C-alpha cells in the first residue's frame, strides 16, 4: 500500500512476528532503496530474455539468460546451435519439436522444460517460453521469449509427487493389510499373514517380530526378515522394560528409533543380536484391543531414518488393525478348542487290537473355519471273534453335529455288540436318530468282519462304500447296495439297508472314509475318488505309513474345509504264501440283482487283470453257474475268481453252494428253455469240474489267458 507521500506504515510486513533466519546476502551491491530495472529484476529471479530473429538466424540473449545457460558473453556468438555446449542434443531436439509443432499448427507461443549441463558438470533444469511474431502474410519472423532456471520448481513438484505416491502407497498398504487380516480366523492365520510373502512390506518394513502377552510373560510367536536365530531367552521373557517389545506391551507406549546402534544402546540385552537385527530404523508398537494389551509388534528397516509423524501414525493405525485381528483370532481359537475337544471326547479313546488283522484310523477336524463336523469312526469287538467297523458323518458343521454324533456312535456300538446283523444295526440306529428330535441326518457304512474267513457283511446308509486293495495292488470299489441316510430312512418309512457280502483276501487292505477325503470345493467327487484309488494303489510300507500318506496327500495338502475320518483294515497273508489276485462275492438266494452285480464286479476285476477277450467267456460262465446254483439249490452262491500264476496264466472261476446234489449234464431238445448251462461252460472253458466243499460243493472252470493279454500283475 502506497500514497503520494510514500509508503504507508500500516502496510503488511511479512517479517513481523516471525523468527527470520539470518543468512549471507548473495546479491551484493543492491542497496535498500536503489531502483532496480526490469532486466535486473528478472536476473535476481534467475530469469532472462531472448530475441530470436528467424530471418537472420540470430538469437540475442541478455545477461540473465546467459546466466541460466551458465555461459559467459565471450562463449556465445548469437547462433542458436552454439547453445549445444550447454544443452544436450536430446533436450535440444525436444525443444525444436515443440517449436515445430507450434509453427505447423499456427500457434502463437510454445514452451518446454529442458536440462542444462553446467560448466562444472552438474545438471540444471530450465524452462523456455516464447511468443511467435508473424508478418502481414502470417509468416513467423521473430520469437521473443524468456528462459528461467526451474530446478527448484521441479524439485518442489517432484517432492509433491513423491508425497502423493507415498500417501497412495500407504493407502494401498492399509487396504491390503486389512483385507488379508479380515480373512484370518485363527492366531496361526494372523501370523501367516504377517510372516508370509510380502508380509513385512505391507507395513513398510524389511523385518517384523510379533509377540503376545501371557500373564506377566511375553512370548515371541512370529519372526520374519531376520538373518539369524534369536536366542530362546529373548523369545520368552518377563513383561518388563529390558526388551523393546515387552516394554511396549508393559508401558502401552510406542517407541521409534532411528538406527540399530540407538536400539542396542537403549536395550543392552539385544547386544548378542547385533548381526541379526537390521541396521536401520525400528518401531515397537503395543497391540491394544478394547483397552486390553494382547501383545506388541516390532518393525525393522535396513535404512536408518528419522520417522515422520505421518509414518508413525500409519504404523500405529496398522498396529490397531493387527490387535483387533489377534483378539478376534484368540476368541476363535478358544471356541474351536472347545468344539474340537467336545468332538474328540465323543470319539473312541483307543482302537482295540483285533485278531487276525491290523486296523488303524485317522481323524482330522476341518483345517479351516470355526465349526467342527460330525465325522466319526469306531472299531467294535463282536462275539465269535468278529469285528465291527464303522465310519459315518452327521449332517452339519457345529457343536450340535458333534453332540449328535457322540450319541449316535454310542447307540450304534450298543446295537452292534448285541450281535445284530449289519442291516438290523442300521435300522435301529436310524430309529434312534429319528427319535432324538433333531433335524440332522447321518450317513454311515457298517461292516461286520470275520477275518478268519475274510467274510465281510456290509450295510450302507447313504455313505461311501469300502475300497479294497489286494496284495497285488489291484484296487476295486465293490458295488454295495445301500439305503437312505440314518434318520431320513425312518422319517420316510424306508428302513431298509440290504447287506452285501464281500471277502477280504489275505494280503488285502480295506479302506473306509468320509467324504472329506475325496471332496474338494469346485472339484467333482469322481475326481477325488480316482485320486484316492491312485494313492491307495501306490501304497506305502506299513498300515500306519499308508494312513499318514493318504491323510497328508489327499486332505492336509489341499487344505480341505471338511472333517475327515479314515479307517484301514489289513488282513495279512498266511506265512509263506504268495498273494494271488482273487475276488470273492456272495449272491443271496432271493436276490434278483445279485448276478448282475457279480458280472459288473467281474468286468472291473478282469479289466484290471488285462484278461482281454477271455473276459466275455468268464462272465457268461459265471452267469450260468450262478443261475444253476440259485435255481437248483436253496442256498445262495459264493463266487470266487482268481488269477492263477504259471505258464500260461489261467483264470479260475468257482461257484460254491450248500447243496450236496451233484450237477448233471443234460441234452436239451430244440424247444427246451433250460439245461444248456453246463454245455455252455464246457464249450467256453478250457477245463471244468466239480468238487465237494464241506456241507456243499463247488463247480469250477478255468480259462487260459492268451500270451501277452495279461502283463505283470500290479497296479492296473
Amino acid at each position: 500500500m502506497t500514497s503520494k507521500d510514500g509508503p504507508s506504515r500500516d502496510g503488511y510486513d511479512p517479517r513481523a512476528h516471525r523468527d527470520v533466519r539470518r543468512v549471507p546476502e548473495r546479491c551484493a551491491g543492491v542497496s535498500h532503496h536503489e531502483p532496480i530495472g526490469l532486466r535486473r529484476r528478472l536476473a535476481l529471479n534467475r530469469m532472462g530474455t531472448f530475441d530470436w530473429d528467424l530471418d537472420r538466424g540470430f538469437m540475442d540473449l541478455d545477461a540473465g539468460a546467459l546466466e541460466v545457460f551458465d555461459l559467459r558473453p565471450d562463449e556465445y556468438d548469437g547462433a542458436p546451435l552454439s547453445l549445444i555446449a550447454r544443452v544436450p542434443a536430446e533436450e535440444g531436439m525436444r525443444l525444436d519439436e515443440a517449436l515445430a509443432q507450434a509453427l505447423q499448427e499456427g500457434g502463437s507461443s510454445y514452451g518446454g522444460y529442458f536440462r542444462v549441463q553446467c560448466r562444472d558438470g552438474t545438471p540444471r533444469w530450465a524452462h523456455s517460453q516464447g511468443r511467435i511474431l508473424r508478418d502481414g502474410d502470417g509468416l513467423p519472423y521473430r520469437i521473443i521469449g524468456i528462459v528461467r532456471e526451474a530446478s527448484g520448481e521441479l524439485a518442489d513438484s517432484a517432492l509433491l509427487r513423491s508425497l502423493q505416491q507415498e500417501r497412495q502407497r500407504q493407502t494401498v498398504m492399509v487396504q491390503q493389510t486389512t483385507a488379508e487380516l479380515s480373512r484370518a480366523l485363527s492366531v496361526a492365520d494372523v501370523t501367516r499373514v504377517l510372516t508370509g510373502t510380502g508380509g513385512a512390506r505391507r507395513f513398510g518394513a524389511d523385518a517384523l517380530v510379533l509377540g503376545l502377552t501371557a500373564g506377566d510373560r511375553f512370548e515371541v510367536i512370529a519372526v520374519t526378515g531376520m538373518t539369524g536365530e534369536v536366542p530362546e531367552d529373548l523369545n520368552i521373557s518377563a513383561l518388563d522394560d529390558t526388551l523393546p517389545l515387552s516394554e511396549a506391551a508393559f508401558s502401552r507406549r510406542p517407541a521409534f528409533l532411528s538406527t540399530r546402534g540407538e536400539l542396542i544402546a537403549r536395550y543392552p540385552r539385544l547386544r548378542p543380536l547385533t548381526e541379526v537385527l537390521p541396521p536401520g530404523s525400528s518401531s515397537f508398537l503395543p497391540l491394544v484391543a478394547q483397552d486390553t494389551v494382547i501383545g506388541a509388534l516390532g518393525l525393522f528397516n535396513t535404512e536408518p531414518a528419522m520417522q515422520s509423524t505421518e509414518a508413525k501414525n500409519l504404523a500405529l493405525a496398522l498396529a490397531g488393525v493387527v490387535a483387533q485381528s489377534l483378539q478376534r483370532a484368540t476368541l476363535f481359537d478358544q471356541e474351536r478348542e472347545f468344539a474340537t475337544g467336545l468332538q474328540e471326547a465323543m470319539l473312541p479313546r483307543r482302537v482295540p487290537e483285533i485278531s487276525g488283522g491290523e486296523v488303524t484310523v485317522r481323524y482330522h477336524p476341518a483345517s479351516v473355519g470355526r465349526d467342527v463336523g460330525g465325522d466319526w469312526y469306531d472299531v467294535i469287538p463282536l462275539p465269535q471273534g468278529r469285528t465291527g467297523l464303522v465310519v459315518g458323518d452327521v449332517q452339519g458343521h457345529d457343536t450340535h453335529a458333534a453332540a449328535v454324533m457322540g450319541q449316535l456312535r454310542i447307540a450304534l456300538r450298543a446295537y452292534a455288540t448285541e450281535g445284530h446283523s449289519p442291516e438290523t444295526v442300521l435300522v435301529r440306529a436310524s430309529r434312534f436318530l429319528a427319535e432324538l428330535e433333531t433335524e440332522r441326518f447321518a450317513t454311515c457304512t457298517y461292516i461286520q468282519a470275520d477275518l478268519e474267513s475274510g467274510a465281510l457283511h456290509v450295510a450302507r446308509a447313504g455313505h461311501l462304500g469300502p475300497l479294497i486293495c489286494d496284495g497285488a495292488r489291484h484296487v476295486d470299489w465293490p458295488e454295495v447296495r445301500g439305503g437312505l441316510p440314518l434318520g431320513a430312512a425312518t422319517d420316510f418309512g424306508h428302513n431298509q439297508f440290504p447287506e452285501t457280502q464281500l471277502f477280504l483276501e489275505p494280503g488285502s487292505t480295506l479302506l473306509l472314509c468320509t467324504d472329506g477325503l475325496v471332496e474338494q470345493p469346485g472339484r467333482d467327487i469322481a475326481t477325488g475318488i480316482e485320486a484316492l484309488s491312485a494313492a491307495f494303489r501306490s501304497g506305502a510300507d506299513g498300515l500306519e505309513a499308508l494312513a499318514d500318506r493318504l491323510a497328508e496327500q489327499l486332505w492336509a495338502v489341499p487344505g480341505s474345509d471338511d472333517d475327515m475320518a479314515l479307517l484301514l483294515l489289513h488282513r495279512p497273508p498266511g506265512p509263506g504264501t504268495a498273494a494271488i489276485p482273487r475276488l470273492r462275492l456272495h449272491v443271496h438266494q432271493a436276490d434278483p440283482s445279485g448276478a448282475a452285480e457279480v458280472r459288473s464286479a467281474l468286468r472291473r476285476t478282469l479289466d484290471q487283470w488285462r484278461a482281454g477277450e477271455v473276459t466275455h467267456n468268464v462272465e457268461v460262465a459265471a452267469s450260468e453257474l450262478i443261475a444253476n446254483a440259485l435255481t437248483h439249490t436253496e442256498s445262495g452262491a459264493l463266487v470266487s475268481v482268481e488269477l492263477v500264476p504259471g505258464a500260461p496264466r489261467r483264470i479260475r472261476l468257482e461257484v460254491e453252494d450248500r447243496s450236496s446234489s451233484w450237477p448233471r449234464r443234460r441234452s436239451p431238445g430244440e424247444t427246451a428253455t433250460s439245461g444248456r448251462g453246463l454245455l455252455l461252460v464246457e464249450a467256453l472253458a478250457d477245463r471244468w469240474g466239480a468238487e465237494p466243499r464241506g456241507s456243499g460243493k463247488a463247480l469250477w472252470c478255468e480259462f487260459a489267458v492268451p500270451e501277452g493279454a495279461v502283463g505283470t500283475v500290479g497296479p492296473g
Side-chain angles (χ1 to χ4, degrees):
M1 294 170 49
T2 60
S3 67
K4 62 181 180 179
D5 299 325
S8 170
R9 296 187 179 275
D10 297 331
Y12 168 70
D13 186 351
R15 300 169 298 177
H17 311 295
R18 286 184 172 88
D19 184 12
V20 179
R21 184 180 179 184
R22 296 176 181 272
V23 296
E25 172 57 59
R26 297 180 180 176
C27 297
V30 179
S31 66
H32 280 62
H33 305 295
E34 174 188 351
I36 301 177
L38 175 61
R39 291 188 179 276
R40 185 59 173 158
R41 294 179 187 182
L42 293 175
L44 288 174
N45 285 280
R46 311 197 70 136
M47 183 181 299
T49 64
F50 67 88
D51 184 351
W52 190 356
D53 189 331
L54 300 180
D55 294 333
R56 296 169 49 209
F58 181 83
M59 179 186 291
D60 178 57
L61 298 178
D62 66 7
L66 290 173
E67 186 176 348
V68 171
F69 285 104
D70 196 16
L71 290 171
R72 293 191 294 267
D74 60 339
E75 294 176 325
Y76 179 65
D77 59 4
L81 289 179
S82 65
L83 294 177
I84 199 170
R86 291 288 181 266
V87 181
E90 63 272 16
E91 300 294 323
M93 291 176 61
R94 193 147 49 82
L95 284 175
D96 187 61
E97 289 175 0
L99 174 58
Q101 182 178 357
L103 294 175
Q104 291 172 1
E105 296 177 354
S108 61
S109 63
Y110 79 98
Y113 290 92
F114 60 96
R115 287 179 300 169
V116 173
Q117 194 76 19
C118 298
R119 67 178 66 253
D120 61 0
T122 59
R124 170 187 294 173
W125 278 99
H127 181 264
S128 175
Q129 182 172 340
R131 174 63 187 268
I132 302 173
L133 304 181
R134 302 175 185 273
D135 60 19
D137 296 327
L139 292 176
Y141 67 93
R142 192 170 180 179
I143 299 175
I144 306 296
I146 59 172
V147 60
R148 59 188 176 83
E149 186 177 345
S151 297
E153 172 188 333
L154 290 183
D156 292 340
S157 177
L159 177 60
L160 179 60
R161 288 197 303 271
S162 176
L163 290 175
Q164 292 173 339
Q165 291 171 355
E166 178 63 17
R167 291 191 185 98
Q168 184 178 8
R169 184 187 69 83
Q170 291 174 353
T171 301
V172 171
M173 188 190 309
V174 172
Q175 291 174 343
Q176 290 179 343
T177 304
T178 303
E180 290 290 334
L181 290 175
S182 67
R183 293 189 289 268
L185 294 178
S186 65
V187 173
D189 293 337
V190 173
T191 58
R192 276 193 291 269
V193 171
L194 299 183
T195 61
T197 303
R201 296 309 307 164
R202 293 192 190 97
F203 293 83
D206 299 304
L208 177 150
V209 178
L210 173 67
L212 299 180
T213 59
D216 59 352
R217 296 168 61 249
F218 186 88
E219 180 177 357
V220 173
I221 64 169
V223 178
T224 184
M226 298 296 184
T227 58
E229 294 293 330
V230 178
E232 188 63 29
D233 63 329
L234 296 181
N235 280 329
I236 301 177
S237 62
L239 196 61
D240 55 25
D241 59 358
T242 61
L243 291 173
L245 283 175
S246 60
E247 183 184 22
F250 179 72
S251 66
R252 295 192 173 206
R253 292 193 302 270
F256 300 95
L257 304 173
S258 302
T259 65
R260 179 175 58 192
E262 183 181 351
L263 173 63
I264 293 176
R266 182 167 174 177
Y267 302 98
R269 285 187 62 185
L270 294 178
R271 194 170 302 281
L273 300 181
T274 301
E275 301 302 322
V276 176
L277 296 171
S281 60
S282 54
S283 306
F284 302 96
L285 314 166
L287 301 178
V288 183
Q290 294 184 350
D291 202 34
T292 301
V293 178
I294 59 177
L297 179 67
L299 304 175
F300 300 86
N301 291 282
T302 56
E303 296 295 330
M306 289 288 293
Q307 300 182 57
S308 66
T309 301
E310 191 173 23
K312 293 178 181 179
N313 290 336
L314 174 64
L316 291 171
L318 290 174
V321 174
V322 174
Q324 294 293 334
S325 298
L326 280 173
Q327 185 186 52
R328 183 180 66 249
T330 301
L331 293 175
F332 167 84
D333 285 343
Q334 291 172 352
E335 293 178 13
R336 182 172 175 80
E337 183 179 0
F338 168 75
T340 54
L342 172 64
Q343 188 175 31
E344 290 173 1
M346 299 295 183
L347 294 172
R349 292 184 178 273
R350 65 180 184 85
V351 176
E353 294 184 1
I354 61 175
S355 176
E358 181 185 0
V359 65
T360 189
V361 297
R362 292 292 183 273
Y363 169 78
H364 294 288
S367 59
V368 296
R370 170 179 286 103
D371 299 328
V372 295
D375 291 20
W376 90 93
Y377 63 85
D378 209 347
V379 180
I380 309 167
L382 299 177
Q384 301 176 349
R386 295 169 298 168
T387 302
L389 307 170
V390 188
V391 165
D393 183 5
V394 174
Q395 175 199 15
H397 292 82
D398 50 29
T399 53
H400 182 59
V404 172
M405 175 271 289
Q407 297 176 77
L408 181 59
R409 184 186 76 82
I410 294 171
L412 193 147
R413 185 182 183 91
Y415 299 142
T417 54
E418 290 175 354
H420 297 295
S421 67
E423 180 178 15
T424 302
V425 169
L426 293 190
V427 168
R428 295 193 175 191
S430 181
R431 290 173 180 167
F432 173 84
L433 183 56
E435 292 170 359
L436 279 181
E437 296 183 355
T438 176
E439 296 180 355
R440 307 300 175 94
F441 62 82
T443 63
C444 174
T445 294
Y446 173 60
I447 298 178
Q448 189 180 90
D450 181 357
L451 293 182
E452 183 176 350
S453 65
L456 306 173
H457 295 269
V458 186
R460 190 169 61 85
H463 199 79
L464 292 171
L467 177 64
I468 296 176
C469 180
D470 65 22
R473 297 295 184 193
H474 292 132
V475 174
D476 186 36
W477 288 89
E479 292 184 6
V480 177
R481 289 166 293 169
L484 295 175
L486 302 180
T490 301
D491 291 339
F492 288 104
H494 293 289
N495 272 332
Q496 296 176 354
F497 304 97
E499 293 182 18
T500 300
Q501 185 174 351
L502 306 173
F503 288 87
L504 190 66
E505 298 297 332
S508 299
T509 303
L510 175 142
L511 178 148
L512 287 175
C513 68
T514 55
D515 55 9
L517 196 65
V518 294
E519 279 190 325
Q520 293 291 336
R523 185 179 73 172
D524 188 82
I525 190 172
T527 303
I529 289 175
E530 291 175 4
L532 175 58
S533 300
F536 195 24
R537 181 184 298 115
S538 60
D541 295 332
L543 204 63
E544 297 291 336
L546 175 59
D548 289 337
R549 177 176 178 177
L550 293 176
E552 173 68 21
Q553 181 176 334
L554 301 176
W555 184 87
V557 171
S560 176
D561 58 359
D562 197 2
D563 291 15
M564 184 276 292
L566 166 68
L567 184 149
L568 292 174
L569 172 69
H570 178 67
R571 186 185 181 199
T577 60
I580 297 177
R582 180 184 289 117
L583 171 69
R584 284 203 291 172
L585 299 169
H586 184 267
V587 183
H588 290 276
Q589 203 278 336
D591 182 6
S593 63
E597 293 174 358
V598 169
R599 288 195 299 270
S600 177
L602 278 175
R603 282 193 296 271
R604 293 196 308 271
T605 300
L606 295 177
D607 181 62
Q608 289 196 38
W609 293 351
R610 300 183 178 94
E613 61 188 23
V614 176
T615 299
H616 175 72
N617 295 344
V618 177
E619 186 179 341
V620 173
S623 297
E624 294 299 330
L625 293 180
I626 292 171
N628 186 70
L630 298 181
T631 302
H632 299 291
T633 72
E634 296 181 356
S635 66
L638 177 61
V639 183
S640 301
V641 60
E642 64 182 38
L643 184 61
V644 182
R649 295 180 183 272
R650 291 170 292 126
I651 292 176
R652 182 180 176 90
L653 171 69
E654 292 185 359
V655 177
E656 183 179 342
D657 60 52
R658 295 183 181 179
S659 173
S660 58
S661 299
W662 216 248
R664 290 184 301 107
R665 183 170 55 181
R666 294 181 288 171
S667 299
E670 293 183 0
T671 59
T673 58
S674 64
R676 296 184 176 87
L678 293 181
L679 293 177
L680 277 174
V681 171
E682 185 176 28
L684 295 174
D686 296 305
R687 299 169 56 202
W688 76 280
E691 57 186 46
R693 291 288 174 84
S695 61
K697 66 180 181 300
L699 296 183
W700 60 269
C701 50
E702 292 184 351
F703 304 81
V705 180
E707 189 68 27
V710 178
T712 302
V713 176

